Amino acid sequence: MYDVIIIGSGPAGLTASIYTSRAGLKTLVVAGATWGGQLMLTREVENFPGFENGILGPTLMEQMHKQAERCGAELIFEHATATNFKSKPFKVTTGNKVYEAKTVVIATGASAKWLGLESETRLRGRGVSVCATCDAPFFRNKKVVVVGGGDTAMEEALFLSNVVSDVKVIHRRDTLRACKWLQEKAFENPKISFVWNSTVTEVLGKDRVEGVKLANTVSGEQSRLSCDAVFLAIGYTPNTGIFKNQIELEETGYIVVHDETRTNIEGVFVAGDVADYRYRQAIAAAGSGCKAALDVEKYLLST
Ligand code: NAP
């Protein structure tokens, strides 16, 4: 029986585990077979405080992993396949093993959607990115494209316009999904222009992005556009599939949060991007992992 099982091993889950294990709580992290979260898919991270010259995403996660273990957390590198929050102790299943705990922290994150192109995967971290806040400074005064027509795409385009020389938003329709005020800000920004009714069919370049191949969704016409980076902003999927019918979810799949880290089930807490479609930053996730751990401690003292 664990005091707490933390599901997920990104910055939120590992920070929570550092706090709970240092507080003397018997802590299990169900880290997943592909552990470490979204930072494992990035290269340089320049905005996580404490690293004067930045740090590679995977290196940062490796450090957090070692720190969690040194503090006493137990990590298993398996996916949680099912949970049972209907009775206590709570149960978390990985394959054919069932683990029990007095509390659970859900920190399974959200996954950016990708187009599913081979060239996109190959050039990930070499000009293909899903985070302008993380990667815009690497493309100072360069030409970039943003793919998508929602709020995230407009925010990414506006953020990039402060750093790069030219932003082209490529959208598959001729109207945006983004809210009106973001649309207006993007339309009036001289650095941002739009390529309507178009999808990216290939990211061009051998070792780094050199352009994109486009297909017109109306005429079928093919074209090429040169650029130094491709920022995908086609939405996120919160990793909450196994929590359906277990916990209250928003229509979009994000976990409904009460009072910072609480879910609708007493004793089940949440941290990081799985409940946060707004900030989606590693440091914000780590902060919420800390809050969830402190709330777990308080909850256990009161029960
Ligand atoms: P979203 O609203 O789902 O928009 C995704 C965009 O990507 C849509 O324009 C969609 O095109 C396009 N798209 C999806 N799949 C595609 C594909 N395979 N190829 C090309 N284009 C594709 O996602 P989001 O912008 O990340 O926003 C998610 C949620 O967070 C929304 O509720 C949003 O309001 C909220 N959010 C709010 C803020 C804010 O309030 N400041 C900021 C960010 C996000 P179609 O339009 O044709 O479907």
Side-chain angles (χ1 to χ4, degrees), residues 18-275:
I18 290 166
Y19 273 79
T20 54
S21 50
R22 289 190 79 251
L25 301 180
K26 192 167 152 56
T27 301
L28 176 70
V29 180
V30 178
T34 49
W35 69 279
Q38 294 184 78
L39 283 190
M40 298 300 270
L41 305 175
T42 62
R43 285 166 72 82
E44 209 82 45
V45 177
E46 282 190 337
N47 56 6
F48 200 95
F51 302 96
E52 185 187 355
N53 300 311
I55 184 168
L56 291 175
T59 309
L60 176 59
M61 295 320 297
E62 188 63 44
Q63 298 277 351
M64 278 192 214
H65 165 197
K66 287 188 182 146
Q67 188 180 0
E69 283 188 330
R70 191 183 62 75
C71 292
E74 186 186 328
L75 273 79
I76 51 162
F77 296 92
E78 293 165 17
H79 279 304
T81 49
T83 53
N84 187 343
F85 302 146
K86 299 213 188 301
S87 59
K88 290 182 182 164
F90 299 128
K91 293 183 183 58
V92 177
T93 305
T94 68
N96 53 11
K97 284 186 224 134
V98 180
Y99 299 91
E100 293 186 339
K102 296 175 195 164
T103 63
V104 169
V105 176
I106 298 173
T108 46
S111 306
K113 289 184 189 161
W114 298 83
L115 295 168
L117 305 170
E118 180 280 324
S119 51
E120 163 197 65
T121 312
R122 183 167 46 80
L123 293 166
R124 225 181 251 188
R126 293 183 160 76
V128 175
S129 168
V130 289
C131 179
T133 311
C134 317
D135 296 332
F138 302 123
F139 301 98
R140 198 167 290 282
N141 300 322
K142 304 267 186 186
K143 287 184 190 172
V144 305
V145 303
V146 171
V147 183
D151 286 340
T152 302
M154 292 313 106
E155 283 193 339
E156 299 282 82
L158 288 161
F159 182 83
L160 283 158
S161 72
N162 294 322
V163 180
V164 305
S165 64
D166 181 79
V167 184
K168 288 207 165 42
V169 177
I170 298 169
H171 184 35
R172 63 185 177 183
R173 294 185 295 125
D174 64 356
T175 51
L176 296 173
R177 179 180 294 279
C179 64
K180 202 151 177 56
W181 74 271
L182 276 173
Q183 290 197 25
E184 280 167 2
K185 283 191 84 163
F187 287 145
E188 68 197 25
N189 186 308
K191 280 197 191 167
I192 301 176
S193 57
F194 289 79
V195 182
W196 301 108
N197 296 321
S198 297
T199 53
V200 171
T201 54
E202 191 181 337
V203 184
L204 302 168
K206 195 162 169 270
D207 302 319
R208 58 173 189 85
V209 170
E210 287 168 10
V212 285
K213 229 187 223 179
L214 300 176
N216 188 294
T217 52
V218 179
S219 65
E221 197 183 314
Q222 311 263 336
S223 59
R224 284 169 182 245
L225 189 67
S226 72
C227 62
D228 301 290
V230 177
F231 288 86
L232 298 166
I234 60 172
Y236 289 80
T237 310
N239 301 318
T240 51
I242 60 165
F243 308 117
K244 270 181 199 150
N245 306 320
Q246 290 287 316
I247 211 139
E248 194 185 354
L249 302 177
E250 310 261 9
E251 243 175 59
T252 49
Y254 286 89
I255 292 177
V256 175
V257 187
H258 306 270
D259 187 23
E260 297 272 1
T261 70
R262 287 165 203 277
T263 67
N264 65 315
I265 307 281
E266 218 180 89
V268 179
F269 298 83
V270 65
D273 288 10
V274 71

